[in-house]
Amino acid sequence: MQQDMIVVLDLGSEQNTLIARDVRALGVYTEIHNFDISADEWKALPNVKGVILNGGPNRVVDGKEIDASAAVYNSGLPLLYMDHKDKRGETWPETETGRKKILKKFVFDVCKAAPNWNMENFIADQVEQLRKTIGNKKVLLALSGGVDSSVVAALLIKAIGNQLTSVHVNHGLLRKGEAEQVVEVFQKQMHANLVYVDAQERFLSKLAGVADPERKRKIIGAEFIRVFEEEARKLSGVEFLGQGTIYPDIVESGTKTAKIVKSHHNVGGLPEDMQFTLVEPLKMLFKDEVRACGVALGLPENMVYRQPFPGPGLGVRCLGAITRERLEAVRESDAILREEFDKAGLASKVWQYFTVVPDFKSVGVRDNARCFEFPVILRAVNTVDAMTATIEEIDFKLLKKITDRITHEVKGVNRVLYDLTPKPVGTIEWE
Ligand code: XMP
């Protein structure tokens, strides 16, 4: 590890991530650790130049005020005490500018840390570490084509080349062109050892006639693991499993003093007789850093800067029991919406946007004859954390253009509607 590190020690603050991000913005690497870090854990941290003791409203645990462990006090490193007592109604002791000034002074003047946190150094470090950890063993990775798994794949390919086997399961619920892009980028451009599994028919037949959203989700999730497992069993001598775990997954799963925000399950229920050691090279990166890493590794921007996409994919946007015809209508209308948003400069401004096809028809006229076809519902929302969301106020001209294209280009669709519902009361997805 080449890079200097500042440790943010969690002494009950709700602002650990904020402070860690502030320091990384100064070009210095940070990690958040628990207040009671042991001497051994402490020793394993490379290049620590200073510690921020980050106190706050959760400082009292089980009636006792917590303090940093002896390992921290014995380190002899510069310490900065920050205490954000917002629970007692007091405001932050510093303004944002003030806080950043304090941190800058501490990091550079007191700790003398070098601003050497950047993607080139991160990648070089990880490549070295991955080679050391993996040796000549094999690694398996489920490559969905999403941001995190794509960046992990690119990083592993750089580090260990064909010792990595990536498995891309096409469950038939991906957006238009997605599976093709995975094959193009990883197999053709990066020459990865990619197993492409066309499981479209298998998923469609498992889902046939299933209308309940929760059952659909469960079937898609379970079947995905089954297909991946089958592929894994065909390979021999695999000791490691690559995972796209990122830092918020770890931080949000709860530190010792924070309440659990949500638990993340990244290890999709692989059977117990298949024992892998996890390789999680992105686990210290925030989302924007993951994207920057992907770009630095040569992944296309549209793969790295894309909107969130749910695991069950278009399956939860083809409402009720999925049919081939309506699934195709979802995929084609989604492609049109994305194309038009891209042309209008909205693609990177709107958080998430997609189309939904319900399972009822309405009457219309086409070429002077009655037609009885499905509607398409447009959804475009903005949010910070997906817990609440507001709708995007799409320009009327653009809405009309999208409507015109969808009703003329997508087979079996004669109406387009725009969903104006914020979350709450609507969720972002329809199922
Ligand atoms: P809702 O519909 O709950 O969605 O307002 C919030 C965000 O989560 C995404 N989402 C999912 N992501 N697996 C995922 O990986 C899922 O089953 C799933 N369901 C919803 C949704 O797209 C939105 O960004």
Side-chain angles (χ1 to χ4, degrees):
M1 178 90 175
Q2 310 294 320
Q3 297 163 86
D4 288 351
M5 189 202 305
I6 298 291
V7 168
V8 176
L9 204 73
D10 174 25
L11 279 173
S13 173
E14 283 166 354
Q15 315 284 355
N16 297 309
T17 307
L18 183 81
I19 300 293
R21 302 242 45 184
D22 278 349
V23 177
R24 286 197 193 181
L26 295 169
V28 178
Y29 182 60
T30 48
E31 285 184 10
I32 302 166
H33 286 282
N34 288 320
F35 65 93
D36 58 353
I37 185 167
S38 72
D40 284 345
E41 286 166 328
W42 185 261
K43 247 197 281 172
L45 300 179
N47 301 348
V48 181
K49 297 290 175 195
V51 187
I52 297 167
L53 301 168
N54 207 27
N58 304 324
R59 178 124 193 206
V60 176
V61 177
D62 297 332
K64 254 177 50 194
E65 183 159 293
I66 52 169
D67 201 359
S69 67
V72 176
Y73 285 118
N74 292 340
S75 69
L77 289 166
L79 305 176
L80 174 68
Y81 291 87
M82 297 193 99
D83 206 352
H84 324 289
K85 299 189 184 82
D86 32 15
K87 218 181 207 169
R88 282 173 238 168
E90 287 173 35
T91 46
W92 264 58
E94 329 86 13
T95 58
E96 186 184 338
T97 344
R99 182 183 81 235
K100 287 187 173 161
K101 224 159 121 188
I102 293 172
L103 290 171
K104 193 171 175 186
K105 203 163 158 224
F106 176 69
V107 168
F108 295 126
D109 299 349
V110 182
C111 303
K112 310 267 184 249
N116 51 11
W117 166 244
N118 58 53
M119 276 311 134
E120 280 64 37
N121 286 345
F122 171 79
I123 291 168
D125 270 349
Q126 287 303 318
V127 165
E128 191 187 315
Q129 280 181 29
L130 286 168
R131 285 182 185 156
K132 213 153 72 190
T133 311
I134 296 160
N136 58 5
K137 306 278 174 25
K138 289 185 194 163
V139 183
L140 177 65
L141 175 74
L143 175 57
S144 67
V147 181
D148 304 339
S149 72
S150 297
V151 177
V152 173
L155 192 52
L156 282 164
I157 290 164
K158 190 177 172 78
I160 56 160
N162 273 351
Q163 284 165 254
L164 170 74
T165 302
S166 302
V167 176
H168 178 66
V169 178
N170 182 357
H171 53 23
L173 307 168
L174 298 169
R175 285 169 292 194
K176 190 173 179 176
E178 269 186 330
E180 291 83 353
Q181 188 183 33
V182 169
V183 173
E184 171 64 31
V185 169
F186 290 99
Q187 203 166 55
K188 305 228 170 95
Q189 292 172 21
M190 296 192 166
H191 309 291
N193 190 357
L194 176 74
V195 178
Y196 171 79
V197 188
D198 183 350
Q200 300 187 67
E201 291 304 320
R202 184 169 165 166
F203 275 83
L204 277 182
S205 64
K206 281 267 167 191
L207 287 163
V210 181
D212 177 64
E214 285 314 303
R215 265 193 70 209
K216 283 166 70 178
R217 267 202 163 72
K218 282 206 184 96
I219 291 171
I220 298 166
E223 200 57 19
F224 190 89
I225 290 164
R226 223 163 282 144
V227 175
F228 183 67
E229 222 177 275
E230 283 170 21
E231 292 306 317
R233 286 190 195 284
K234 290 182 196 162
L235 305 166
S236 61
V238 175
E239 289 197 13
F240 295 93
L241 185 70
Q243 285 274 319
T245 315
I246 70 171
Y247 209 28
D249 298 341
I250 295 173
V251 177
E252 286 174 16
S253 289
T255 59
K256 285 208 172 161
T257 66
K259 294 168 215 84
I260 289 180
V261 179
K262 52 181 171 179
S263 51
H264 290 261
H265 304 279
N266 285 332
V267 190
L270 281 166
E272 279 172 19
D273 63 328
M274 290 174 74
Q275 304 243 317
F276 296 109
T277 305
L278 288 186
V279 184
E280 301 172 297
L282 307 180
K283 71 172 180 207
M284 287 301 165
L285 299 189
F286 292 104
K287 194 79 181 187
D288 56 321
E289 294 171 330
V290 173
R291 296 190 208 275
C293 181
V295 171
L297 286 163
L299 290 178
E301 300 240 339
N302 70 348
M303 191 171 229
V304 164
Y305 287 93
R306 59 202 238 163
Q307 48 167 327
F309 188 61
L314 302 183
V316 290
R317 297 175 182 171
C318 182
L319 306 185
I322 297 170
T323 63
R324 241 171 258 267
E325 184 193 14
R326 285 191 305 114
L327 186 58
E328 231 14 63
V330 179
R331 202 182 331 262
E332 291 300 322
S333 57
D334 173 77
I336 291 171
L337 180 70
R338 284 194 285 146
E339 200 183 309
E340 291 302 326
F341 264 41
D342 211 9
K343 276 198 261 177
L346 290 175
S348 56
K349 292 205 186 104
V350 182
W351 197 80
Q352 197 173 20
Y353 45 97
F354 53 87
T355 61
V356 172
V357 176
D359 52 356
F360 60 83
K361 290 180 177 179
S362 76
V363 176
V365 275
R366 191 187 292 283
D367 304 327
N368 298 318
R370 178 189 187 272
C371 63
F372 191 49
E373 295 174 348
F374 293 107
V376 160
I377 299 156
L378 310 177
R379 187 106 172 102
V381 297
N382 290 306
T383 176
V384 175
D385 56 9
M387 304 295 282
T388 61
T390 54
I391 57 136
E392 170 73 15
E393 293 186 19
I394 306 179
D395 175 63
F396 226 74
K397 268 201 202 112
L398 180 61
L399 276 176
K400 286 200 276 193
K401 187 173 179 205
I402 293 166
T403 302
D404 188 58
R405 280 199 62 190
I406 290 177
T407 49
H408 285 94
E409 295 173 38
V410 181
K411 218 173 140 243
V413 172
N414 64 355
R415 245 174 236 278
V416 173
L417 302 101
Y418 185 42
D419 181 358
L420 295 174
T421 323
K423 176 181 179 175
V425 61
T427 48
I428 295 175
E429 302 288 348
W430 271 56
E431 285 192 337

